[in-house]
Structures are given as structure tokens and as C-alpha cells.
Amino acid sequence: MPVPNNNVAASVRKGSIHKAPGTKSTKAASKKKDEEECVDTGDGWDEWSHGKALIKPPDQLELTEAELKEEITRILTANNPHAPQNIVRYSFKERSYKPTVAVDQMAVHFVLEGSLLHQDSDEARRLRAKEGLPEETATVDTGAEPDEEKPETPATPLEDGGEAEEAGEEDRPDSVASKIDKKEPKLTNQFNFSERASQTLNNPLRERSCQTEPPPRSNFSATANQWEIYDAYVEELLKQEKNKEKQKAVPSKKDNDKSKKKMMLMETQSDDIGKVGKQASILERMVNQNTFDIIAQDFKYYEDESDEFRDQEGTLLPLWKFQYDKAKRLSVTALCWNKKYQDLFAVGMGSYDFSKQGRGMLVFYSLKNSAFPEYIYPTSSGVLCLDIHEKHSYLVAVGFYDGCVAVFNLKEEGLEPVYKSTAKTGKHTDPVWQVRWQDDDMDNNHNFYSVSSDGRVVSWTLVKNELVFTDIIRLSLNGAVSEGPEGAQQPNIACGTSFDFHKQIDYLFLVGTEEGKIHKCSKTYSSQFLDTYDAHSMAVDAVKWNHFHPQVFISCSSDWTVKIWDHTINTPMFTFDLNAAVGDVAWSPYSSTVFAAVTTDGTVHVFDLSINKYEAICQQPVVAKKKTKLTHIEFNPIHPIIIVGDDRGYVTSLKLSPNLRKKPKSKKGQLPQGPEVEVAKMEKLLSLLREPEQNTV
């Protein structure tokens, strides 16, 4: 704001300064004052009418017109300039003094704490009632004297006024005499506030530390000179030249060429990785065992104690779940345990759907590492069956959907089979549904059998570098037929879907067909069947001999039934309806009366004929999704677990509860003697069913 340099305002009226009105005077004095003021104002007006001269103090600055017209801006803020900016408070948390950022900028100029109450308020009435004061003394509390209550006294001489004042003092409640006679009541504080503070105990800080043994250290130092670098480059050039020379040499077969190229790449790229491959696999198993430690503990030690209260029924405890990301869209078409390494099993991947045929895969898993397969062999056609050699566990026979059979050797490097049938070497023309290893022949050559939908049961012998085939039998609807003199094939071919060889009688085997019949055949008689059983109304999915009893075998089909047979009788001994298509069935390796089956509704059925001849003692769904179908089941040869495969590429391992693996009780003084007890247990069941027939005969 511009500051005007004007001294006119400094002039003050003389009358207003020298003759100020009195504050406490009578009416006569006030009239006299007014008259004096009127005289003063008249004198001042005469002085104002004359010219006035500017009076400057001697120390005033001489300013130019520009400086006088200059505007000086002053900004007013709410900050208190006298507020301290360096207040420090003690922090109990950090145990040190910390400056406070927030500073109170408010300045208090005047504070008055009073205890006045309005005379008409409720609190004032309650207070008067409490103290017992009359209504007339209420004016003491208010502290104010209204003008209406003052008595009107006429203007009298001073003598009369003195008497009036004495009379008024007696009547007025605020007179000095009344104050002496009546004590002023003390008002209570309506806001009874008391400030209290307490300080809590800060827990002392404690430091804990531990010291471990330092890991072993070794100092290594080396120098890299020019000649060392040169030598390394020379060695690399020599390796590359050797590889080029190997590639120039043309091999006899294309398959060998591909495998050699892969081997060359492996030599150059994974020299260092190969050195630590075994150690890395051991470390991977250790990590997985720590990750799934709870499952490993359950597999080894857990026993379901609730079986004692289940009335001879049992349960299945889920353990590991095996899966491979690249085989998710494939179905599990075959399962087989390794007889030598009981934690290793093979899984065949393919598809049972004719319209979804394509690639396949052969995968090997171990119970010691459920996260990733031990061996992976991708195949061009879907795998439908496989079998691991009992004595030479590295040999695996595989049957494919395109009719080929092959043998993989786990010891050999590379992804291709060491033996594979072709159209020239007598491969099947239809899918191969089952393969089984047999004992070596007279020349100590390995051999296995296969059955296919083209009606042929073929024996394959591993001779040097090729497979030699021999047709054992040809299936037909009328009976077994051998090839004619001109090699022409007879009509009415029966499609073989499964087969199994007798455990003790070497030449005896069973063949299940797509028409639902089971043929008992012999290796020595290729012209006719030994016997035929009208087993099922649909295709026979599996047929298996009992591990203990030489006369009993089991079969299952998509007609929802599982049947147990005595091969000397053409009618089934037991028939079980499972209310869904049965994908596979398996005998247990520890009991002659226990078997398990899987159905397409995702349920595992476990039977024990010695406990219940009519119903399963365990029916448990084991799939995560309702539409998932179970395809195969296998018992572990030693451990009390089973593995189950489904059509989504998953393999689930399950542990049998104690009720599902009961052993026969030994009599006093006698110890159970292995297989003989199991044979007697099954024979006892069969005798109950044979007695009525023998009586009728």
C-alpha cells in the first residue's frame, strides 16, 4: 500500500486534548461539559479556516517523487515469528532425542476462565435450589445490573440526595452492607477434569546370535597367458575338423546318420554337463524328497489305524502323482513295474481314439523322483502296450498302434529303439494290443510274443540286429487256422485284444478277442484251440493268470463285468458287475484272493474273495475331475502300493490300507509257508463252488 506523506492528520484539536469530559459526573456536570465543548469547537473552526503549514521532523528522509510513488508490498502470514524452530523431544522407541517437525504457531493473547451462568438457564435454577437462595439474590450470580431494576429518584439537592443514597443502599442487593451480611455463594466447576498420565515400561532389547562352522575353502589361482589361449583355440579347431570328417563319411542307414549327428552335437556341447550328470540327478532326488517329505513318510510308515473300526473294509491313501508336461494330451495305455528295480516303472502313452491318433511316448518314472521322468522316448506312433524283461531289466518290448513292435535298450544312448519291425519283417497290419517276454530259446536268443487285431499271435526273436518273426497261431471265428499252402489267409478273422501266459506251464496261454471270447491255446498246436470260453458280450480288455493258483484266471470287459474262471470249467466261478466299463484288472502279488480293477467312472475297486465274495471291500474314486477315465492298474511287486493311469496322461500312486493286504493267520505251532497257503486259500473257495456240480454228476 502507498504510504502518504501527509502531516495534516497530525494536527490535533486543542479543545479535545485539554478539555476531556469526565467519566463519572452528575447531569449538571455533563451539561457544563457540553457547553465547554461547543466553545472549543468554535475556536477550532476559526483556526482551521486559516492556512496550515507542513511541519517536518528534522530527521525525516528526503524522498524523490518516484520513491514516494513506489508501492511496497507486505505479506501477512499465519506463522508465529517468535515460535521456536528447534524443539527436541526424547524418542523412547529409538532411545535418542529427535527434533519435532510440527511447531505450534498459535499465540494466545488473553485467557479468562469464568464461572458465570445465565440466570434463566436450567443450571442456574438447579444451583439456586441446591444452595437454598431466594429468587431476589439471583442477580448476584449474573454479575450484571439491568437498567430497569434501578430505582428512579428525582433530582434533589445534595442533602436530599445523601439521604436517598442511604435509603437506596439498604434496599439494593449489591450494596456493601448486603455483601457483608450475605456471603456470595461459591459456584462449583461444571467441568470436573483432572489430568492423569502414566508411563509404560519399555521392554529391553535383546540380541541373539549364533555361530556356525565356516564352510571349507580352498584358494585357487591360475594365469591365462597368450600361449594357453592359443592352445585352447587349436584344440577346439581340431575337434571341429574331426566332426566334419565324421559327417563326410556316409553311413549305410539314415537312422544311424541321425543318431550319429546327435551324438556329435552331444560331444561338443555337453562335455562338461555329462561330468556332473549323475551328481545332478542325485541332488534332484534329494531336493524332491525334501519337498515331498510328508508323502515319503506316509509311504514308508503310515498305517491307517481306522481300519480296525471299518468292519474289514479298507481305503487307499493317495501318494505321488506323476505327470510330464509334453504328454498331457496323451492317454496312459500301458503300465509295467521293473522286476529288478522295484521303484522304477514304465508308462506307455498313446490314444485309444481312432480319430485322434498321432505321436506317442515311452516314459520311465521312479518313486524317488516324481517331478520328472528318468527316461523319455518319443515315438512317431502311439504306444499301446509294453513289457519289461524280467531278467534283463534294461530291455523293454513295445507295441504300437500302427502295428509295429520295437525293443528299447535303456543302456544305449539315443532315442531310437535298437530293434523295430517293418513291413518286410512281418509287422502287424493292425494295432498291437499286448506284448509279453518269454524265456530264451534254444540258441539263448531273447524272444517275446505279441497279439494284434489282425488275428495273429506272433513270436519275435532278437537275432543280431534284426527281429525274426514266427506266426504261432491265427485267430478266426470258427477256430484256430494256420496258413494255407499258398499262404492265403482264411476269412472270418477274430481280432485279438489281450493274452497271458501260464506261470508254471510254459506252452499254455490265453487269448481274449474283440468278440468277447477267450481261447485257451498252446504254443505247440497252431491248428486248433484247446478250449474256448464265451466270456463277455463285448471286447475282452484284459485276461490274466493267478500268481499262485495254477487253474485260476481273471478277465474283464467293457460290458461292466469282471469274471474269475477255472480253466477246467467253461463257466465262470465268480462274476462281479461294477456298473461301468472296466478298463483293466490285476491280481495282487501277495495274496491269491485279492485283485483290483479300474473303471471308466474314475473308481478303483479292490476285492478280497476270502473276506467278501459278493462285493468289493474298497471302492474309491481317485480322479480329480469326474470325466476322467481310468485305463490301467498295476500292483508293485514288493511295496503295498498300486499305480493307476488315466486318459489325461496322469499316473497316481496309492497305498493300500492294512485291511486290503491281510495275510492268513497262522495256526498254533505252525508257520505259514509261502505260496502253499495262498493256493489252499483259493482252493477252499473253489471247492465251495464245485461241490454242487460234483454231487449232481
Side-chain angles (χ1 to χ4, degrees):
M1 297 281 299
V3 181
N5 190 3
N6 195 355
N7 295 327
V8 178
S11 63
V12 183
R13 298 178 188 178
K14 298 178 181 178
S16 62
I17 296 173
H18 298 287
K19 297 181 181 179
T23 56
K24 295 181 181 179
S25 61
T26 59
K27 291 181 180 180
S30 63
K31 287 179 181 180
K32 190 176 181 179
K33 171 189 170 186
D34 292 339
E35 291 176 358
E36 290 177 355
E37 283 184 347
C38 291
V39 173
D40 292 341
T41 53
D43 297 340
W45 181 256
D46 293 338
E47 294 177 0
W48 183 260
S49 60
H50 297 290
K52 299 291 183 179
L54 296 176
I55 300 173
K56 295 182 180 180
D59 56 346
Q60 183 175 349
L61 294 175
E62 295 291 338
L63 300 177
T64 62
E65 291 294 330
E67 291 176 344
L68 290 173
K69 292 180 180 180
E70 182 183 358
E71 293 185 357
I72 299 173
T73 305
R74 293 185 179 179
I75 301 173
L76 300 179
T77 61
N79 294 335
N80 185 7
H82 301 291
Q85 303 295 329
N86 55 352
I87 297 177
V88 177
R89 298 184 187 278
Y90 185 76
S91 174
F92 288 93
K93 181 180 179 181
E94 300 183 9
R95 297 194 171 188
S96 62
Y97 286 94
K98 295 288 181 181
T100 57
V101 180
V103 179
D104 190 9
Q105 303 290 340
M106 185 179 70
V108 180
H109 296 287
F110 178 74
V111 176
L112 176 63
E113 295 181 0
S115 60
L116 299 181
L117 296 175
H118 196 272
Q119 63 180 355
D120 296 333
S121 63
D122 294 336
E123 293 185 8
R125 293 192 188 97
R126 286 195 297 269
L127 186 61
R128 284 197 298 269
K130 183 177 180 181
E131 297 293 336
L133 298 175
E135 294 292 335
E136 297 175 354
T137 59
T139 54
V140 178
D141 301 336
T142 60
E145 296 178 7
D147 297 334
E148 292 80 15
E149 295 180 0
K150 292 182 180 180
E152 294 183 0
T153 56
T156 55
L158 295 173
E159 297 87 6
D160 300 332
E163 294 175 353
E165 286 178 3
E166 292 175 4
E169 286 179 357
E170 295 176 0
D171 298 332
R172 285 191 306 181
D174 56 344
S175 61
V176 179
S178 63
K179 288 181 181 178
I180 297 170
D181 297 339
K182 297 179 181 179
K183 294 182 180 179
E184 183 180 354
K186 183 181 180 182
L187 301 180
T188 59
N189 186 7
Q190 296 297 319
F191 305 97
N192 189 11
F193 175 76
S194 60
E195 185 177 358
R196 297 178 183 178
S198 62
Q199 185 175 1
T200 58
L201 177 64
N202 292 321
N203 293 324
L205 298 177
R206 296 181 181 178
E207 295 183 0
R208 294 183 180 179
S209 60
C210 60
Q211 185 176 2
T212 59
E213 294 183 1
R217 298 180 181 180
S218 60
N219 295 328
F220 172 78
S221 61
T223 56
N225 298 327
Q226 289 185 357
W227 58 81
E228 291 180 353
I229 299 173
Y230 177 78
D231 292 342
Y233 275 104
V234 170
E235 289 180 3
E236 185 66 25
L237 287 173
L238 291 175
K239 279 186 180 180
Q240 292 179 1
E241 289 177 1
K242 287 181 181 179
N243 292 335
K244 288 179 181 179
E245 291 176 359
K246 290 180 181 179
Q247 290 177 2
K248 288 179 182 178
V250 180
S252 59
K253 293 182 180 181
K254 293 182 179 179
D255 296 339
N256 294 335
D257 188 17
K258 290 181 181 178
S259 62
K260 284 184 179 179
K261 285 182 180 178
K262 290 180 181 178
M263 289 294 293
M264 293 171 192
L265 292 173
M266 292 292 288
E267 285 179 4
T268 56
Q269 294 177 359
S270 63
D271 288 340
D272 298 333
I273 298 175
K275 295 178 182 178
V276 296
K278 187 176 181 181
Q279 290 81 353
S281 63
I282 294 173
L283 185 62
E284 183 184 12
R285 288 186 178 186
M286 293 169 61
V287 172
N288 275 282
Q289 189 172 355
N290 290 336
T291 305
F292 303 103
D293 181 61
I294 297 175
I295 299 178
Q297 296 289 338
D298 290 344
F299 162 71
K300 193 72 177 175
Y301 303 109
Y302 179 75
E303 298 295 345
D304 194 354
E305 297 179 356
S306 61
D307 275 14
E308 299 177 3
F309 311 99
R310 282 206 175 93
D311 194 17
Q312 297 182 337
E313 292 184 356
T315 57
L316 298 172
L317 176 68
L319 297 177
W320 298 279
K321 194 170 187 178
F322 302 89
Q323 61 180 0
Y324 182 47
D325 292 338
K326 295 183 179 179
K328 273 188 176 179
R329 297 182 181 178
L330 300 176
S331 300
V332 176
T333 55
L335 291 173
C336 185
W337 285 98
N338 194 313
K339 302 296 188 297
K340 185 176 181 181
Y341 303 100
Q342 285 82 14
D343 63 300
L344 189 70
F345 63 92
V347 182
M349 299 285 189
S351 176
Y352 288 120
D353 191 351
F354 176 77
S355 61
K356 295 182 181 179
Q357 289 302 319
R359 65 184 181 91
M361 196 170 290
L362 176 63
V363 181
F364 289 82
Y365 287 104
S366 172
L367 298 179
K368 298 175 182 177
N369 184 9
S370 61
F372 198 78
E374 298 293 321
Y375 301 94
I376 303 168
Y377 295 96
T379 58
S380 57
S381 179
V383 177
L384 286 185
C385 55
L386 61 90
D387 191 31
I388 300 176
H389 201 285
E390 190 170 353
K391 296 179 180 177
H392 306 283
S393 59
Y394 53 88
L395 293 177
V396 183
V398 181
F400 297 98
Y401 188 87
D402 60 358
C404 292
V405 294
V407 177
F408 288 86
N409 189 345
L410 301 184
K411 289 184 176 181
E412 297 289 335
E413 295 183 357
L415 303 177
E416 296 297 323
V418 291
Y419 299 95
K420 190 172 184 179
S421 64
T422 60
K424 293 182 180 179
T425 57
K427 68 167 244 185
H428 292 283
T429 57
D430 280 341
V432 181
W433 291 107
Q434 203 149 5
V435 291
R436 279 286 182 271
W437 285 102
Q438 291 298 298
D439 295 334
D440 296 349
D441 59 5
M442 302 288 290
D443 298 328
N444 292 328
N445 292 323
H446 305 313
N447 69 92
F448 64 93
Y449 281 64
S450 65
V451 64
S452 171
S453 297
D454 61 1
R456 296 166 58 204
V457 178
V458 182
S459 171
W460 303 88
T461 306
L462 282 63
V463 180
K464 293 185 179 179
N465 294 326
E466 61 179 352
L467 285 174
V468 178
F469 78 98
T470 305
D471 283 351
I472 299 300
I473 200 168
R474 285 181 178 271
L475 306 175
S476 69
L477 299 178
N478 301 326
V481 180
S482 60
E483 289 191 356
E486 298 178 359
Q489 190 171 345
Q490 297 290 337
N492 299 328
I493 297 174
C495 301
T497 56
S498 59
F499 73 145
D500 193 27
F501 290 87
H502 200 279
K503 307 300 180 193
Q504 284 113 12
I505 307 172
D506 184 48
Y507 61 85
L508 193 63
F509 65 95
L510 299 167
V511 180
T513 63
E514 203 171 88
E515 291 76 24
K517 295 183 179 180
I518 298 175
H519 303 292
K520 183 166 66 173
C521 307
S522 173
K523 296 179 183 178
T524 54
Y525 296 100
S526 61
S527 60
Q528 61 182 357
F529 302 135
L530 299 180
D531 205 347
T532 300
Y533 310 93
D534 290 328
H536 299 277
S537 58
M538 295 180 71
V540 180
D541 291 330
V543 56
K544 295 183 180 179
W545 288 99
N546 191 287
H547 294 293
F548 299 95
H549 201 285
Q551 295 181 353
V552 178
F553 67 91
I554 194 170
S555 65
C556 70
S557 170
S558 299
D559 63 357
W560 297 11
T561 60
V562 173
K563 296 184 179 181
I564 297 176
W565 304 78
D566 184 342
H567 78 87
T568 60
I569 303 173
N570 287 334
T571 57
M573 309 299 288
F574 295 95
T575 302
F576 301 97
D577 190 343
L578 302 185
N579 296 324
V582 185
D584 194 12
V585 69
W587 288 105
S588 72
Y590 55 83
S591 175
S592 62
T593 58
V594 176
F595 65 92
V598 291
T599 53
T600 54
D601 61 352
T603 306
V604 177
H605 304 259
V606 182
F607 291 82
D608 191 346
L609 300 178
S610 63
I611 295 175
N612 193 335
K613 297 187 288 292
Y614 307 102
E615 293 179 350
I617 59 174
C618 177
Q619 292 183 359
Q620 186 170 327
V622 296
V623 294
K625 297 181 180 179
K626 291 183 179 180
K627 294 183 179 180
T628 305
K629 300 177 182 178
L630 297 180
T631 55
H632 285 277
I633 184 171
E634 281 292 331
F635 280 86
N636 187 283
I638 292 181
H639 304 295
I641 64 170
I642 57 174
I643 52 173
V644 178
D646 58 32
D647 62 349
R648 296 180 183 270
Y650 295 96
V651 178
T652 308
S653 58
L654 305 159
K655 184 174 182 179
L656 302 166
S657 65
N659 278 357
L660 302 180
R661 44 190 168 92
K662 281 186 177 179
K663 293 185 179 180
K665 296 180 180 179
S666 58
K667 295 181 181 179
K668 292 183 178 179
Q670 293 182 357
L671 295 174
Q673 298 178 357
E676 291 80 5
V677 178
E678 297 297 334
V679 173
K681 189 164 63 170
M682 177 60 81
E683 187 63 33
K684 182 180 179 181
L685 288 171
L686 297 178
S687 63
L688 297 175
L689 300 172
R690 289 173 185 161
E691 284 179 1
E693 295 180 1
Q694 292 175 357
N695 293 335
T696 55
V697 174

